[in-house]
């Protein structure tokens, strides 16, 4: 049996979890193996492809000037606007030639340790299904549009691609220290909702921002949210909102800065110093913060999603 004292695994095969590590009790569908990969990508209907095309067109009206240049360049390099849901095999070949990453289909949310293992091997697990017309504007579980349109273009950037692989390795370590919530906050405030300084402005690189029209405007331009320079130690102690726009966004100087702040640090020491729960509320501004914009929080004070409050 593996224990916490074991050295880090090499990730060639799915490493065995130490018995004392908590893993979420997700029921594995009968048709997938231990790697949780679908045997093949879904056969999409013409309507499915049209949903993708319409989502793509809507984002392209919003993202120029709001998405970071690495994302826009990634869309071009992978030609994601060629029409229809991309075929993962062809997409993986193109992405593989650029940074060695591939895109693999999974049925739904997968267990953390399996997700981290795929990232550590430069495989990005992407939801197989696509939302319907009825759920066009908002979905709870990530679909192929969120995962492929939102995440995959960033994987064409070499430094960001390395960051994602290292995140997978760090995830494995976080589980061994039972500090998954803290590492989840880092993922949330970087990979999903991260902003970057570019040409004297802030632009988005997080997939949760880039795959929806409302948050793309809100994150970059609105007066409500705080925009604070990323401090990894602080972010890993900060709570986050899953089902609404973020009260706070964290901003990086560059992807090299993100890599340096996360990968080139002693995570063993960090995990040992982190409390089990979060210290800071998601709207808090604290004394160590380097604040670019102190938000009014008007949107959330008016009740947020469901209240009819404007995302201003
Ligand atoms: Fe995501």
């Amino acid at each position: 049996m593996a224990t916490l004292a074991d050295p880090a695994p090499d990730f060639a095969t799915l490493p065995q979890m130490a018995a004392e590590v908590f893993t979420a009790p997700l029921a594995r569908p009968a048709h997938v193996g231990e790697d949780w990969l679908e045997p093949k990508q879904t056969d999409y209907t013409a309507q499915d492809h049209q949903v993708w095309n319409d989502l793509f067109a809507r984002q392209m009206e919003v993202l120029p000037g709001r998405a970071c240049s690495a994302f826009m360049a990634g869309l071009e390099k992978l030609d994601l606007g060629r029409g229809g849901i991309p075929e993962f095999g062809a997409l993986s070949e193109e992405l593989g030639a650029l940074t060695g990453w591939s895109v693999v289909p999974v049925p739904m949310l997968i267990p953390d340790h399996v997700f981290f293992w795929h990232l550590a091997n430069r495989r990005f697990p992407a939801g197989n299904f696509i939302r319907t017309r009825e759920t066009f504007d908002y979905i709870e579980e990530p679909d192929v549009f969120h995962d492929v349109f939102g995440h995959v273009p960033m994987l064409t950037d070499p430094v960001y691609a390395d960051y994602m692989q290292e995140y997978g390795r760090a995830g494995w370590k976080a589980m061994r220290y039972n500090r998954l919530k803290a590492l989840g906050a880092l993922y949330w405030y970087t990979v999903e909702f991260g902003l970057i300084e570019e040409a004297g402005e802030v632009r988005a690189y997080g997939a949760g921002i880039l795959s929806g029209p409302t948050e793309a405007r809100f994150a970059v331009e609105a007066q409500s949210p705080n925009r604070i320079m990323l401090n990894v130690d602080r972010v890993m102690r900060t709570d986050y909102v899953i089902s609404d726009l973020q009260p706070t966004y964290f901003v990086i100087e560059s992807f090299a800065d993100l890599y340096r702040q996360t990968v080139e640090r002693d995570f063993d020491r960090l995990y040992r110093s982190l409390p089990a729960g979060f210290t800071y509320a998601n709207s808090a501004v604290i004394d160590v913060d380097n604040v670019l914009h102190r938000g009014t929080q008007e949107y959330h004070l008016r009740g947020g999603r469901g209240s009819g409050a404007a995302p201003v």
Side-chain angles (χ1 to χ4, degrees), residues 70-71 73-75 78 80 147-157:
F71 178 84
L75 283 180
L78 299 171
L80 286 181
D147 279 339
V148 172
F149 180 89
H151 285 283
V152 172
M154 289 306 304
L155 294 172
T156 64
D157 181 273

Side-chain angles (χ1 to χ4, degrees), residues 130-141:
I130 187 149
R131 71 195 73 180
T132 61
R133 287 280 163 201
E134 290 69 46
T135 54
F136 194 77
D137 289 324
Y138 181 71
I139 47 162
E140 294 260 320
E141 289 230 340

Side-chain angles (χ1 to χ4, degrees), residues 19-299:
E20 59 270 44
V21 172
F22 170 79
T23 53
L26 288 175
R28 178 155 55 94
H31 71 282
V32 301
E34 288 239 301
D35 59 11
W36 283 69
L37 297 187
E38 290 280 5
K40 62 189 268 296
Q41 199 179 353
T42 299
D43 293 319
Y44 303 104
T45 65
Q47 288 95 318
D48 291 337
H49 287 298
Q50 195 54 47
V51 168
W52 169 283
N53 291 343
D54 292 348
L55 288 165
F56 191 97
R58 181 170 71 171
Q59 286 313 94
M60 293 317 286
E61 284 180 15
V62 178
L63 294 186
R66 296 189 177 97
C68 71
S69 53
F71 178 84
M72 299 305 285
L75 283 180
E76 286 279 315
K77 286 181 204 165
L78 299 171
D79 195 16
L80 286 181
R82 73 184 80 176
I85 302 166
E87 196 272 307
F88 288 3
L91 181 62
S92 296
E93 258 178 51
E94 289 165 39
L95 183 59
L98 294 169
T99 56
W101 275 78
S102 61
V103 181
V104 290
V106 291
M108 51 160 118
L109 288 177
I110 63 175
D112 296 305
H113 67 290
V114 181
F115 179 67
F116 294 142
W117 174 61
H118 285 306
L119 293 186
N121 284 286
R122 293 173 100 87
R123 290 188 294 266
F124 189 76
N128 211 3
F129 75 102
I130 187 149
R131 71 195 73 180
T132 61
R133 287 280 163 201
E134 290 69 46
T135 54
F136 194 77
D137 289 324
Y138 181 71
I139 47 162
E140 294 260 320
E141 289 230 340
D143 71 342
V144 66
F145 186 77
H146 169 83
D147 279 339
V148 172
F149 180 89
H151 285 283
V152 172
M154 289 306 304
L155 294 172
T156 64
D157 181 273
V159 179
Y160 192 82
D162 287 349
Y163 169 72
M164 286 293 280
Q165 179 178 24
E166 293 299 333
Y167 184 90
R169 293 191 181 138
W172 201 267
K173 192 173 273 187
M175 296 193 77
R176 290 155 64 94
Y177 283 100
N178 194 23
R179 287 294 178 270
L180 211 49
K181 267 177 91 85
L183 194 74
L186 179 62
Y187 192 86
W188 195 259
Y189 284 121
T190 61
V191 178
E192 293 293 355
F193 294 100
L195 297 177
I196 184 169
E197 284 189 317
E198 212 172 85
E201 299 177 354
V202 294
R203 302 263 170 98
Y205 71 90
I209 300 175
L210 296 166
S211 56
T214 307
E215 193 133 13
R217 293 191 179 92
F218 184 78
V220 172
E221 291 154 15
Q223 293 301 306
S224 285
N226 302 316
R227 295 184 191 90
I228 298 171
M229 295 307 289
L230 181 82
N231 170 331
V232 167
D233 195 84
R234 185 265 207 250
V235 161
M236 290 177 84
R237 298 165 196 268
T238 305
D239 200 0
Y240 55 88
V241 181
I242 293 179
S243 57
D244 205 341
L245 303 171
Q246 302 301 306
T248 300
Y249 298 89
F250 290 93
V251 185
I252 58 171
E253 285 170 25
S254 62
F255 296 118
D257 168 49
L258 174 65
Y259 189 89
R260 198 169 48 244
Q261 280 206 49
T262 51
V263 177
E264 294 175 11
R265 70 181 297 143
D266 183 350
F267 266 89
D268 288 281
R269 203 168 141 188
L270 178 60
Y271 289 142
R272 276 195 290 267
S273 74
L274 286 172
F278 290 125
T279 306
Y280 306 119
N282 51 43
S283 59
V285 175
I286 62 171
D287 54 358
V288 300
D289 285 340
N290 180 359
V291 181
L292 290 182
H293 170 77
R294 178 143 197 165
T296 61
Q297 299 300 334
E298 180 179 335
Y299 169 75

